[in-house]
Amino acid sequence: MIKTLSIGFGIMWPILLYSFYYKSLRQSKIILIFSTIGVIQVLLFIIFKDVSSLYNNIGGSYLNNLLYLPAMLITFYCLNYLNKLIYGDDLIITGRGDSLGGERDGRKIRLIDFVFSLLEGLLFIFGVMFTH
């Protein structure tokens, strides 16, 4: 049960938030709510990381999944801030079907949107994977 919850809250929630609702991450109330949840998840990780029943058979802990949300929030915030410094507008998370120069969210998609989206995804996946 704990393993299922850690996967659900740790991995699926951030993926859904990042993939489909990233525009809501521009609102301060949403950032505050998810940052609070992220802090709680980090505290749970710190408190229960040494519980042997939560270890999987590849040497890590199922609780490592709880670090995905904070990692995603931090990297999205930093990359969005960097995009605002360079271009003066918010980052567009690109996905399948988007093309360079295509229209989305009221502006054209730039190469930096693709680069930052790929970087966010890689940091999100590999940053937490190697924390154990």
Side-chain angles (χ1 to χ4, degrees), residues 18-20 22-23 26 90 92-99 101-109 113-114 117:
Y18 176 71
S19 300
F20 300 109
Y22 74 92
K23 288 184 197 175
R26 299 173 186 163
D90 286 310
I92 293 177
I93 301 301
T94 58
R96 194 173 172 167
D98 289 328
S99 62
E103 188 80 19
R104 188 155 158 212
D105 294 345
R107 71 165 175 85
K108 290 189 177 193
I109 298 174
D113 293 321
F114 286 103
S117 295

Side-chain angles (χ1 to χ4, degrees), residues 110-131:
R110 302 181 197 105
L111 179 61
I112 198 78
D113 293 321
F114 286 103
V115 172
F116 281 176
S117 295
L118 178 64
L119 183 62
E120 170 81 24
L122 292 174
L123 288 172
F124 177 67
I125 292 169
F126 294 114
V128 175
M129 187 180 294
F130 297 112
T131 58

Side-chain angles (χ1 to χ4, degrees), residues 7 12 18 74 83 97 105:
I7 290 171
M12 296 312 295
Y18 176 71
I74 291 168
N83 192 67
D105 294 345

Side-chain angles (χ1 to χ4, degrees), residues 9-44:
F9 281 107
I11 296 175
M12 296 312 295
W13 192 354
I15 287 175
L16 288 173
L17 183 65
Y18 176 71
S19 300
F20 300 109
Y21 303 108
Y22 74 92
K23 288 184 197 175
S24 62
L25 289 175
R26 299 173 186 163
Q27 301 171 12
S28 58
K29 287 182 184 178
I30 301 296
I31 287 284
L32 181 64
I33 290 169
F34 281 103
S35 296
T36 304
I37 293 169
V39 168
I40 291 169
Q41 288 181 335
V42 169
L43 290 174
L44 287 173

Side-chain angles (χ1 to χ4, degrees), residues 35-116:
S35 296
T36 304
I37 293 169
V39 168
I40 291 169
Q41 288 181 335
V42 169
L43 290 174
L44 287 173
F45 173 79
I46 291 169
I47 292 168
F48 295 110
K49 70 179 178 182
D50 294 326
V51 177
S52 62
S53 63
L54 296 175
Y55 281 88
N56 59 29
N57 46 348
I58 58 171
S61 171
Y62 286 102
L63 293 178
N64 286 352
N65 298 328
L66 295 178
L67 298 177
Y68 277 102
L69 179 64
M72 188 270 303
L73 289 173
I74 291 168
T75 54
F76 178 79
Y77 179 79
C78 291
L79 292 176
N80 193 38
Y81 182 75
L82 186 60
N83 192 67
K84 281 183 179 181
L85 282 176
I86 296 170
Y87 294 105
D89 54 13
D90 286 310
L91 175 66
I92 293 177
I93 301 301
T94 58
R96 194 173 172 167
D98 289 328
S99 62
L100 190 61
E103 188 80 19
R104 188 155 158 212
D105 294 345
R107 71 165 175 85
K108 290 189 177 193
I109 298 174
R110 302 181 197 105
L111 179 61
I112 198 78
D113 293 321
F114 286 103
V115 172
F116 281 176

